[in-house]
């Protein structure tokens, strides 16, 4: 009875990004490693196209004593970065181990992963056919370095909780 589905929708120009999360309203026990909202699945779509991303799951003990599989790399922010030459969809999050680094994926409005960054060093890992670097992304889309550090005011935090 504590399960719920949460939908978060973002408009990016004429494009729609939807994050659908399957979660529970319980918390994990305080002694568990991953202190995140208890969500067993997340799907991200851009104009109806599902964006591919690997979902690592762990089993955690919740406050009700149940062992529950949950997503470790939970989405915690998303936004539309409007550059001078085009728009990018930014989707970010972190793992729940309290010392884990933040990550961001930057997608074209066609749904292609253009760049993935992990951690404070802003290392970029380009997907096949992607721009692969912050400089190339700034040149192609006209976005700023601040945008690509997740500091844009257009990036909104996702709040989890049963409606």
């Amino acid at each position: 009875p504590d399960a719920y589905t949460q939908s978060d929708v973002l408009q990016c120009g004429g494009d729609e990004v939807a994050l659908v999360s399957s979660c529970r309203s319980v918390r994990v026990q305080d002694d568990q490693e991953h202190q995140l909202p208890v969500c067993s699945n997340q799907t991200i779509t851009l104009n109806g196209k599902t964006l591919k991303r690997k979902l690592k799951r762990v089993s955690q003990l919740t406050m009700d004593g149940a062992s529950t599989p949950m997503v470790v790399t939970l989405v915690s922010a998303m936004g539309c970065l409007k550059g001078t030459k085009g728009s990018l969809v930014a989707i970010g999050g972190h793992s729940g181990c309290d010392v884990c680094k933040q990550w961001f994926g930057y997608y074209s409005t066609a749904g292609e992963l253009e760049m993935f960054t992990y951690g404070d060093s802003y290392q970029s890992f380009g997907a096949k056919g992607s721009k692969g670097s912050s400089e190339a992304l700034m040149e192609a889309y006209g976005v700023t370095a601040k945008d690509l550090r997740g500091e844009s005011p257009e990036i909104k935090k996702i709040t989890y909780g049963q409606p």
Side-chain angles (χ1 to χ4, degrees):
D2 66 354
Y4 67 95
T5 300
Q6 177 170 316
S7 294
D8 293 279
V9 179
L10 166 75
Q11 297 296 324
C12 189
D15 300 295
E16 182 177 280
V17 182
L19 169 68
V20 178
S21 306
S22 301
C23 304
R24 292 184 60 205
S25 58
V26 297
R27 289 186 323 110
V28 296
Q29 291 182 6
D30 292 337
D31 63 346
Q32 297 295 291
E33 181 182 5
H34 299 280
Q35 294 294 318
L36 289 171
V38 179
C39 297
S40 60
N41 196 29
Q42 288 191 308
T43 305
I44 304 166
T45 59
L46 176 57
N47 294 327
K49 176 184 176 182
T50 300
L51 302 181
K52 293 181 180 165
R53 99 181 163 99
K54 292 181 182 177
L55 287 178
K56 181 180 175 189
R57 292 181 178 84
V58 294
S59 188
Q60 298 274 205
L61 289 174
T62 55
M63 295 304 267
D64 61 3
S67 179
T68 304
M70 58 184 268
V71 174
V72 177
T73 52
L74 196 72
V75 172
S76 60
M78 61 185 201
C80 179
L81 304 179
K82 295 175 183 152
T84 58
K85 301 176 185 176
S87 296
L88 283 170
V89 175
I91 306 214
H94 60 280
S95 297
C97 63
D98 290 333
V99 296
C100 297
K101 300 184 187 264
Q102 186 176 34
W103 55 266
F104 267 96
Y106 299 93
Y107 294 85
S108 70
T109 53
E112 299 301 319
L113 179 62
E114 293 285 14
M115 189 176 77
F116 182 81
T117 62
Y118 179 76
D120 298 335
S121 63
Y122 306 108
Q123 299 170 356
S124 62
F125 305 92
K128 184 177 180 183
S130 73
K131 303 297 180 268
S133 74
S134 299
E135 294 77 17
L137 215 55
M138 289 186 286
E139 175 63 28
Y141 289 90
V143 293
T144 67
K146 185 176 180 178
D147 289 337
L148 298 179
R149 288 193 304 265
E151 297 172 10
S152 169
E154 300 303 317
I155 296 177
K156 305 297 182 206
K157 184 175 170 44
I158 305 292
T159 303
Y160 291 92
Q162 189 164 2

